[in-house]
Amino acid sequence: MSQKVLLNAKEVNIILHRLACQLIEKHNDFSDTVLIGLQPRGVYLADRIAKILKEDYSVSDIKLGYLDITFYRDDFRRSDKPLEANKTKIDFLVEDKNIVFIDDVLYTGRSIRAALTAVQSFGRPNEIELLTLIDRRFSRHLPIQPDYRGRQVDVINSEKVKVNWKEHDKEDSVYLIDK
């Protein structure tokens, strides 16, 4: 198994700031916008984006939530191992809000489809956008594209994109792993 560095810590930081600036351009003061990180690994990206918006760009009122999509996936019954659900934490209204879903890697699009279904339990948003750190361009099963992307990579199905976060994995990095 070999691995190649796609992004190092400095490049990840630059991309996170660019994504935060793009969000500010579209959503200004975030009064009608909420950020929702998709469990499990999208929450690290969502936390970092929210922190950058608050600390570096003085956006004071960021509403940040986490959404577990485990039982909304169309493949959750196909696994031999028992699934472990994560926690959903949405302590604000999504009715008539602009939602930005945040996930680390966009692969087949099935997680996003599940998130679209799951969020309906909380109300009817005005608009839903998608922010991803990595967009695996040639792997989509559903017609879903990100509105904000950190980096687009061309990856074949035998390869895996692994995103590491210093809060969880002791480093910020993105690797391409040949299985």
Side-chain angles (χ1 to χ4, degrees):
M1 178 166 65
S2 65
Q3 68 181 25
K4 173 186 168 191
V5 176
L6 290 177
L7 298 172
N8 62 33
K10 182 178 179 182
E11 293 166 326
V12 168
N13 189 47
I14 290 168
I15 287 171
L16 293 180
H17 280 270
R18 177 174 49 82
L19 291 169
C21 288
Q22 289 174 343
L23 287 172
I24 291 169
E25 286 176 12
K26 171 83 187 272
H27 299 283
N28 198 16
D29 65 354
F30 289 80
S31 58
D32 292 321
T33 301
V34 299
L35 306 179
I36 297 180
L38 302 186
Q39 291 277 21
R41 301 210 37 106
V43 300
Y44 301 114
L45 177 56
D47 285 342
R48 292 286 283 282
I49 292 287
K51 182 179 178 186
I52 289 170
L53 288 169
K54 287 177 188 173
E55 294 177 4
D56 296 349
Y57 298 104
S58 302
V59 180
S60 59
D61 189 28
I62 299 287
K63 291 174 191 69
L64 173 64
Y66 308 132
L67 182 62
D68 179 46
I69 58 166
T70 303
F71 299 112
Y72 292 92
R73 291 186 57 93
D74 59 4
D75 60 355
F76 86 92
R77 288 190 171 106
R78 295 180 178 205
S79 178
D80 292 334
K81 61 181 180 177
L83 292 175
E84 293 184 29
N86 295 287
K87 290 187 178 177
T88 291
K89 179 189 159 254
I90 299 178
D91 55 2
F92 46 79
L93 296 175
V94 300
E95 191 75 27
D96 296 324
K97 296 288 186 188
N98 299 316
I99 293 177
V100 180
F101 281 148
I102 300 177
D103 206 4
D104 60 347
V105 178
L106 176 58
Y107 183 21
T108 63
R110 293 185 185 279
S111 294
I112 307 308
R113 190 219 43 87
L116 291 167
T117 303
V119 81
Q120 291 175 5
S121 302
F122 296 91
R124 183 175 183 208
N126 181 48
E127 178 181 45
I128 299 175
E129 296 179 317
L130 174 61
L131 180 148
T132 61
L133 181 64
I134 302 293
D135 176 10
R136 288 182 59 145
R137 189 164 61 154
F138 296 128
S139 308
R140 213 77 73 239
H141 294 177
L142 300 170
I144 292 174
Q145 300 299 323
D147 298 282
Y148 311 94
R149 81 172 45 92
R151 178 153 176 208
Q152 189 173 61
V153 296
D154 298 336
V155 180
I156 58 176
N157 285 334
S158 66
E159 297 172 317
K160 178 181 175 161
V161 174
K162 172 89 167 89
V163 178
N164 294 322
W165 298 105
K166 67 181 171 191
E167 298 85 348
H168 184 266
D169 307 297
K170 311 286 189 265
E171 70 169 345
D172 286 341
S173 60
V174 180
Y175 292 99
L176 178 61
I177 300 171
D178 191 8
K179 300 186 230 180

